Amino acid sequence: MLIHPEVFDAETLAQNIRKVPHWPKQGILFHDITPILQDPKHFRLLVDLLVYRYMSEKIDVVAGLDARGFIIGAALAYQLNVGFVPIRKKGKLPFDTVSESYALEYGEACVEIHTDAVKPGARVLLVDDLVATGGTMQAGINLIRRLDAEVVEAVSVLEFSDLPGGQLIREAGVPLFSLCQSEGDMAPEA
Ligand SMILES: O=P(O)(O)OC[C@H]1O[C@H](OP(=O)(O)OP(=O)(O)O)[C@H](O)[C@@H]1O
Ligand SMILES: Nc1ncnc2[nH]cnc12
């Protein structure tokens, strides 16, 4: 049975995101969603809020970004009764892939998707835990578009509203739905 969104709201989720200063490097305030996942009520709330949003939409497949997008995306796909496609960090997928490189606040990364993972014209929901610079989500959008499929909406648990990531995604023509917004990912001076 689904938790109705009026029973719990997304503020409950925001309160369960742990902030870890100076991880993975000095100056970054890491927003850790694992406390949501490890509590069955909050994990269900997170997934059910998204199930309610998309259960009446025509979605062909959910794609999840490595790594926490796998957890949320797979649970959502299961409930929506559609398939799940992983978009993985470089070198992990065994079959033919297309790749996109991008910059993170704390380094560089490259993500890949199997070339047969989504059909041309498929309506895809793209899921990750967080949008900071938007580089990861944008790379995922580019991959899906390169397979001639459509990103119906990009979904995140948390969006940093003081970074341009969300805006960039929307300007790329993809609606972004974030359950929570937060300002500032800079850790206080040590
Ligand atoms: O909007 P962006 O600036 O691209 O940042 C967001 C990404 O950063 C984090 O993952 P990370 O790359 O740290 O990898 P991980 O999932 O392996 O922890 C997060 O889970 C997003 O995928
Ligand atoms: N501050 C942050 N916390 C968690 N994931 C991130 N990805 C990029 N910046 C991040």
Side-chain angles (χ1 to χ4, degrees):
M1 204 179 65
L2 295 173
I3 297 178
H4 194 275
E6 282 172 13
V7 176
F8 285 112
D9 68 309
E11 185 50 35
T12 309
L13 294 180
Q15 287 162 6
N16 283 277
I17 296 174
R18 172 168 49 204
K19 297 177 184 175
V20 184
H22 309 297
W23 201 91
K25 70 176 197 191
Q26 188 69 22
I28 299 288
L29 183 61
F30 193 84
H31 287 60
D32 172 20
I33 66 145
T34 62
I36 296 174
L37 305 178
Q38 73 201 29
D39 179 314
K41 272 198 319 294
H42 297 146
F43 187 24
R44 181 171 292 279
L45 166 62
L46 164 56
V47 176
D48 286 359
L49 285 170
L50 298 176
V51 172
Y52 264 100
R53 182 172 177 86
Y54 299 110
M55 60 199 269
S56 305
E57 301 288 321
K58 185 183 176 317
I59 304 295
D60 295 315
V61 64
V62 175
L65 283 151
D66 199 342
R68 287 164 292 278
F70 295 170
I71 302 164
I72 303 160
L76 177 59
Y78 182 85
Q79 283 288 1
L80 294 178
N81 201 27
V82 300
F84 174 78
V85 163
I87 296 180
R88 295 212 65 182
K89 297 270 168 66
K90 188 178 176 59
K92 299 289 185 181
L93 288 173
F95 185 60
D96 297 340
T97 57
V98 285
S99 311
E100 284 277 333
S101 298
Y102 58 98
L104 280 170
E105 288 169 291
Y106 37 79
E108 299 258 308
C110 177
V111 284
E112 300 183 326
I113 190 170
H114 277 146
T115 51
D116 65 352
V118 294
K119 293 193 175 70
R123 290 171 55 82
V124 181
L125 261 188
L126 179 59
V127 179
D128 203 355
D129 64 326
L130 190 139
V131 171
T133 67
T136 309
M137 196 65 99
Q138 185 63 60
I141 292 168
N142 293 346
L143 288 176
I144 289 162
R145 286 180 166 171
R146 283 171 62 188
L147 298 180
D148 296 320
E150 178 192 352
V151 182
V152 176
E153 194 150 81
V155 184
S156 72
V157 180
L158 179 64
E159 173 186 350
F160 289 144
S161 49
D162 55 346
L163 290 182
Q167 179 75 2
L168 292 174
I169 290 159
R170 294 179 181 104
E171 281 171 10
V174 175
L176 172 65
F177 177 65
S178 308
L179 285 164
C180 313
Q181 283 81 31
S182 166
E183 276 187 20
D185 70 334
M186 295 308 291
E189 291 300 317

